Amino acid sequence: MGALCLAACGETPPSDVIDAELFPTTVLLGEDALASLRASEADGTLRFRGTPAALAGVADGRVLVGGVSEQSPAGLLRYVLSVEQDAEGMVLRTTEAPIQLAFRKLHVSFARQVGGPEAPVTFTADPAGPADGIGRRRAALSETIKGHFWPALPFKEFVFNGDEDPKTPLDQVMVTGQLSGGLDYTFTLDVDWGNVFGLPEAVQECVKKVAKLKLSLDCSLMNLLPEAKVGMSVTLGAKGHLGLEGVAFLGYEREITIAKSKLPQVVLGPLVLFPEVEVVAQITGAASSQFKVGLDAEIATTAKVSYSNKSGGSLTPPSIEKSFSAPSVEAALGAKAKLRLGPRLTVTLYSVAGIYAGLYAAAELAADQTKTPCWQLDGGVEGEVGFLIRSPELSPLLGHVTLAKFGKSFGVAKATVAQGTCKTPPSSGPTPTGGAPDNVAFANPTFTPWAAAYPDTVDGFPYEWPGAQVEWAQLTPTVDGRFLLSGSDAKVLLKLAPDGEVVWARRYVADVPFWRDLLIPDLLPGRVVTAADGGLFVVAHPYAVLKLDAAGKLAWARRFDVLYRETWLRFTDAITDGAGGLYVLGTHGTDYVNPLDTVTGWLLRLDGNGKLLWSRQLRSAQGGEIPRRLVGLGDEVVVVGDQWISQGAKWRGHVARFGSDGTLRWGTELVVDDCAGGSEKGLNLTTALRSRDGDLILGGGVFHAGNQAIVLKVKPDGALAWSSTAASADSAELGPVLLDLVELPTSGYLAAGQYSGKATRQDLWLAGLDAVGKVAWARAYGGAQNATDALRTSDSYPALHLTKDGGAIVGAYSEALIGLDTLWAMKVPAKDGTLAFNASTSASVRELPLVPGKACLTASAWQPLLGSLDQPWIPLAVKVLPAQVKTARIAP
């Protein structure tokens, strides 16, 4: 096919250039064909009315190119996988195509201005922005540019707000300010196959293998394709006021789109390009006390970026102009926070992939009460350029769409604007709950120990030992200085203040008509992971993942539509993957009634928006597979759990390391006996952590004619280093099971578990352990009160978390403290666990005599059977309802 159009064709501006030549295998869809398009579905299916003339005889392997229409608002650049018919006409199954498959030759160039009287722009607020009373963007966002810069856009947004109350500033970080700006840019795109006039057979065959047969790649599509080069030069300017204030207790990172404008699309022959400009605020910070920063800035830059799928990306060093003035700073004790604010331009081809450039004024505050001056405010100019791939997930061709991803940041201007003395804040926020104490705080805690119960917060009480149920409680520190109490049987997510008072309580009610083994429609919030933006990921039963903000408000929810059972078939743990997403662990099965012999492990990875990246099944040839805990090792992950050995009815432990792509690095099986060549004992591993020296510390229980708590160390390569067990000093009592561990700042560990004593009483216990797991002290905590059943006197499944003031917060279940099934929590000194319950409860604290146990471990290689696990991952409608939960004080 000849050239489609040369410079200044149609009604395009004289500066616009397109020189394009299609392959014979490319089908150009004109207005008639696009008008007959009745549906363009999310999976890439195109449905037409009848058979358009342009598509007569079309077959798989052809590439479609089309412009904008009602059903193709982003235009079409598609590879045909198959041709079908339905009652109304032709149906094409398609995927996104690399642009080099459509064009033998392509040269595109155009220049545009954004801002000023020749290029007016209307901004709109981000529809995902907050509601009234929580920093609503002002109406000025809809004003049209009238000068060289657009008028100032004022904004006021929460980075996070722990209780949704804007009048309580001690649990929030807020960004405020205004910004105006303008920019000019030139965009170029080139593809050239040289003297090749037909699509090479090797490329056709490669595409068919990847897209249609879904085979593992024995071809590299991008290596076979010719070079594609894209570039952009841009001149940006911005001026405005940057403001940031608040208090935080964990690190946080968030990007807020203040406003955006879809600029007029650029149509050059069959190509459709979509420019868009956004005003973006990027905020990062660390655990800090109160701060407030204000800075005026005026900045400008000129930068060039180019990219080739053969030689990669390059950036021409930008030139920078800057001016900072009128700083204002308030800092107390210590603070670290940074705000970047400015415009970002993106130009995409068919809304698939394109180039971006951004320019930001930056204000960075660092405060440290040990230094003089105490605080320093730096002003800077920073930018970013690169490629933004926005292709939907349509087929295995994803990743080969158009070009590739490249990005580079630059910060070429930075100066100290002001310095000063820290001052005491007018009011104090919560005592930080997250983080280990230093040695001084550990030895001399400064708080009053407390304990409290929270009635009507559990769906059922977890009675049985770990080998009979997969149960837990969990404590999670939050960015606003509080902590969350959740668990496998919790029907309410509780946010608690550092003194145990309820900040808020939320129910998450799912729109699913039938729960197999629940009598309530509530999701059970089992595991909570703090997100990088200060929000929360909640992994809930059954098989659901929710994203919440710091106040518990729902952002999104999804679930797997699979069989579940509350005690066995469920997700069991989740941790951050270090890249804004999650590793999630659980069990999967097809036998709901009797899953133990056939249950398999399930390890998967999600990104921060809930997209499923991969899903792996772990099977054991010997029986059921029950993975329980995850530990992060860099960007990799360690799975800790049990195997049910059907032959002999025994439990064995295992630990396995997986790469970030789900590949197995190594596996270790752990078998326990009585050290004298006797019969094998049962082993359940229930908790795990990574120590400061980089090793894995695991804990759990040994079961055979009594219980023993066990602690062991495994090296990062899977080798067993040491193990230690503890048993009851009274042979008439079943004894301890270890359920959670934390590392102490001095040396050794703090352990928590449940202790089965005489009759039916089951209490919590805490113990200080030395560096090799030997017991230094131990105490038991629990009640003997139940109004409806005198035999139900159990307190079970504790979780631990250290606090910076020398405390250890314990969360657990109780049916024996106040006569009701409840969640409960207590805070005690981490060094010795001392606590005195008040007289209104039957609870008591006692010294717990523990002695060394008799159990020996043997480690050997473990090779699980691995496979992919494809399950429906669907959106979930969830109602967020307030729960009325009172704090029942039981100490002091």
Side-chain angles (χ1 to χ4, degrees):
M1 180 180 290
L4 293 173
C5 189
L6 297 177
C9 59
E11 298 180 357
T12 58
S15 61
D16 291 358
V17 174
I18 177 171
D19 182 5
E21 187 174 337
L22 298 172
F23 277 114
T25 50
T26 301
V27 178
L28 184 62
L29 302 182
E31 292 183 2
D32 291 344
L34 292 174
S36 68
L37 181 62
R38 53 189 163 92
S40 178
E41 298 174 357
D43 65 354
T45 301
L46 304 178
R47 299 183 185 274
F48 295 87
R49 285 184 290 272
T51 299
L55 292 173
V58 72
D60 61 329
R62 295 299 183 98
V63 176
L64 307 182
V65 174
V68 172
S69 71
E70 181 180 354
Q71 294 297 331
S72 60
L76 294 174
L77 179 61
R78 299 287 181 84
Y79 178 86
V80 178
L81 301 173
S82 65
V83 181
E84 303 170 10
Q85 294 283 332
D86 66 12
E88 297 185 54
M90 175 176 281
V91 176
L92 301 180
R93 309 290 180 183
T94 73
T95 182
E96 302 287 358
I99 196 168
Q100 299 100 309
L101 290 186
F103 293 91
R104 192 191 73 80
K105 181 180 180 181
L106 178 64
H107 171 67
V108 172
S109 177
F110 66 89
R112 293 292 186 272
Q113 182 186 73
V114 181
E118 304 300 323
V121 177
T122 298
F123 281 96
T124 57
D126 182 1
D132 286 341
I134 313 180
R136 182 180 180 181
R137 302 182 180 101
R138 303 177 191 174
L141 292 179
S142 63
E143 290 185 5
T144 299
I145 293 174
K146 298 177 182 176
H148 181 66
F149 278 10
W150 57 75
L153 304 175
F155 57 91
K156 182 179 180 181
E157 296 288 351
F158 285 121
V159 180
F160 65 84
N161 187 334
D163 59 5
E164 281 194 308
D165 185 353
K167 299 177 181 178
T168 56
L170 299 179
D171 63 355
Q172 62 195 36
V173 168
M174 179 182 291
V175 56
T176 61
Q178 59 183 18
L179 184 91
S180 60
L183 54 95
D184 300 282
Y185 69 97
T186 300
F187 180 94
T188 60
L189 172 63
D190 288 278
V191 172
D192 194 344
W193 283 75
N195 292 323
V196 176
F197 288 87
L199 188 63
E201 182 178 350
V203 175
Q204 273 193 334
E205 291 305 312
C206 181
V207 171
K208 288 180 181 179
K209 287 180 179 180
V210 178
K212 200 169 184 179
L213 301 180
K214 300 185 179 181
L215 299 177
S216 59
L217 283 177
D218 57 0
C219 61
S220 174
L221 183 60
M222 295 311 289
N223 287 340
L224 292 171
L225 290 174
E227 186 175 32
K229 296 182 290 186
V230 65
M232 186 164 67
S233 63
V234 61
T235 299
L236 304 100
K239 59 182 178 181
H241 177 76
L242 299 76
L244 188 66
E245 60 182 284
V247 59
F249 296 94
L250 296 175
Y252 56 92
E253 180 177 344
R254 189 178 173 200
E255 179 176 296
I256 300 173
T257 299
I258 303 301
K260 63 176 62 177
S261 178
K262 293 185 179 297
L263 305 176
Q265 63 194 31
V266 179
V267 180
L268 299 176
L271 299 182
V272 186
L273 296 107
F274 295 85
E276 179 178 273
V277 64
E278 301 171 286
V279 177
V280 176
Q282 299 171 332
I283 307 99
T284 57
S288 62
S289 59
Q290 289 178 255
F291 64 90
K292 186 174 183 179
V293 178
L295 180 65
D296 290 337
E298 186 166 354
I299 58 177
T301 188
T302 298
K304 294 181 180 180
V305 63
S306 63
Y307 183 81
S308 163
N309 61 302
K310 298 297 183 181
S311 58
S314 65
L315 166 69
T316 300
S319 61
I320 295 289
E321 298 178 14
K322 66 183 187 302
S323 174
F324 300 106
S325 61
S328 63
V329 175
E330 295 178 15
L333 304 181
K336 187 175 183 180
K338 182 178 180 179
L339 168 63
R340 301 201 322 173
L341 175 67
R344 179 167 61 198
L345 170 71
T346 304
V347 181
T348 57
L349 177 63
Y350 294 105
S351 284
V352 169
I355 196 164
Y356 65 88
L359 173 69
Y360 306 99
E364 185 171 3
L365 174 67
D368 185 343
Q369 62 176 324
T370 65
K371 296 182 179 179
T372 303
C374 179
W375 62 259
Q376 177 174 305
L377 176 64
D378 291 337
V381 179
E382 301 181 6
E384 58 182 356
V385 291
F387 290 87
L388 187 65
I389 295 180
R390 292 181 170 176
S391 176
E393 281 188 87
L394 299 182
S395 84
L397 274 179
L398 181 68
H400 302 298
V401 175
T402 313
L403 299 169
K405 191 170 185 180
F406 160 75
K408 185 176 290 188
S409 298
F410 57 89
V412 296
K414 184 176 180 180
T416 298
V417 179
Q419 296 176 324
T421 303
C422 294
K423 63 181 182 180
T424 303
S427 55
S428 59
T431 301
T433 59
D438 58 24
N439 289 353
V440 174
F442 176 74
N444 302 283
T446 58
F447 62 90
T448 300
W450 55 263
Y454 309 99
D456 197 29
T457 52
V458 298
D459 172 52
F461 189 84
Y463 287 103
E464 298 177 273
W465 62 298
Q469 287 181 304
V470 184
E471 305 285 3
W472 67 87
Q474 185 182 23
L475 291 159
T476 307
T478 60
V479 70
D480 58 333
R482 281 70 173 255
F483 60 94
L484 294 165
L485 179 57
S486 60
S488 55
D489 282 291
K491 65 180 181 181
V492 172
L493 183 61
L494 282 175
K495 189 173 205 176
L496 303 179
D499 63 356
E501 288 296 321
V502 176
V503 177
W504 52 253
R506 303 278 191 269
R507 295 174 54 209
Y508 298 91
V509 180
D511 185 18
V512 177
F514 175 65
W515 298 113
R516 185 182 303 276
D517 59 346
L518 299 178
L519 299 179
I520 58 173
D522 297 55
L523 295 168
L524 304 184
R527 296 288 186 191
V528 180
V529 178
T530 304
D533 62 1
L536 309 164
F537 294 108
V538 177
V539 177
H541 183 71
Y543 291 117
V545 179
L546 290 66
K547 175 66 188 301
L548 312 177
D549 69 10
K553 182 179 177 182
L554 183 70
W556 54 259
R558 298 184 69 88
R559 72 180 179 98
F560 286 98
D561 189 13
V562 294
L563 283 171
Y564 62 87
R565 184 174 177 182
E566 187 175 345
T567 55
W568 284 117
L569 303 181
R570 62 185 309 154
F571 285 141
T572 58
D573 202 7
I575 62 171
T576 178
D577 65 356
L582 290 173
Y583 288 113
V584 181
L585 183 69
T587 56
H588 179 272
T590 56
D591 187 344
Y592 166 78
V593 177
N594 183 30
L596 189 54
D597 288 333
T598 58
V599 64
T600 63
W602 191 2
L603 176 64
L604 53 101
R605 187 176 183 182
L606 306 174
D607 73 7
N609 296 314
K611 173 185 172 184
L612 181 62
L613 301 178
W614 49 258
S615 176
R616 301 284 184 268
Q617 185 180 47
L618 289 69
R619 292 187 294 113
S620 170
Q622 299 172 295
E625 180 64 34
I626 313 292
R628 297 175 184 269
R629 298 305 302 267
L630 289 171
V631 181
L633 289 179
D635 63 348
E636 300 192 344
V637 67
V638 172
V639 173
V640 176
D642 318 317
Q643 304 167 75
W644 169 248
I645 309 301
S646 301
Q647 187 174 2
K650 292 288 190 297
W651 288 96
R652 293 176 181 171
H654 64 68
V655 55
R657 181 170 180 171
F658 291 85
S660 59
D661 59 355
T663 56
L664 180 67
R665 300 286 190 245
W666 52 258
T668 297
E669 182 179 70
L670 298 164
V671 179
V672 64
D673 63 25
D674 63 2
C675 303
S679 60
E680 181 179 336
K681 300 174 183 286
L683 173 64
N684 291 128
L685 296 176
T686 57
T687 187
L689 61 85
R690 187 182 188 186
S691 65
R692 286 188 294 271
D693 60 11
D695 294 328
L696 299 166
I697 308 299
L698 315 182
V702 175
F703 306 93
H704 183 77
N707 304 335
Q708 298 180 56
I710 187 168
V711 183
L712 57 130
K713 174 183 276 194
V714 173
K715 305 298 288 185
D717 62 0
L720 176 65
W722 54 257
S723 65
S724 179
T725 58
S728 172
D730 187 340
S731 60
E733 299 181 337
L734 285 176
V737 177
L738 194 152
L739 295 166
D740 206 2
L741 272 172
V742 291
E743 189 173 18
L744 294 173
T746 49
S747 65
Y749 308 91
L750 181 65
Q754 56 199 42
Y755 184 90
S756 297
K758 293 182 174 63
T760 61
R761 179 154 178 164
Q762 183 171 266
D763 294 328
L764 304 188
W765 61 270
L766 294 178
L769 310 179
D770 67 14
V772 291
K774 304 298 183 183
V775 175
W777 60 265
R779 288 187 169 85
Y781 312 76
Q785 175 184 355
N786 191 289
T788 58
D789 188 344
L791 296 179
R792 293 175 60 189
T793 55
S794 181
D795 302 296
S796 64
Y797 286 97
L800 279 173
H801 200 86
L802 294 181
T803 61
K804 292 182 178 179
D805 55 7
I809 298 179
V810 183
Y813 299 92
S814 176
E815 60 172 3
L817 290 174
I818 61 173
L820 298 170
D821 290 351
T822 68
L823 290 171
W824 72 294
M826 64 180 183
K827 184 174 181 179
V828 298
K831 67 176 183 177
D832 58 15
T834 54
L835 177 72
F837 289 102
N838 62 40
S840 64
T841 175
S842 65
S844 61
V845 182
R846 70 184 190 280
E847 300 293 323
L848 186 63
L850 297 179
V851 297
K854 295 181 179 179
C856 289
L857 275 180
T858 301
S860 60
W862 178 63
Q863 182 69 43
L865 305 175
L866 299 179
S868 61
L869 188 57
D870 293 328
Q871 296 294 324
W873 179 230
I874 58 178
L876 177 62
V878 176
K879 295 179 181 178
V880 182
L881 302 177
Q884 302 301 318
V885 177
K886 295 182 179 179
T887 304
R889 286 284 171 185
I890 52 180

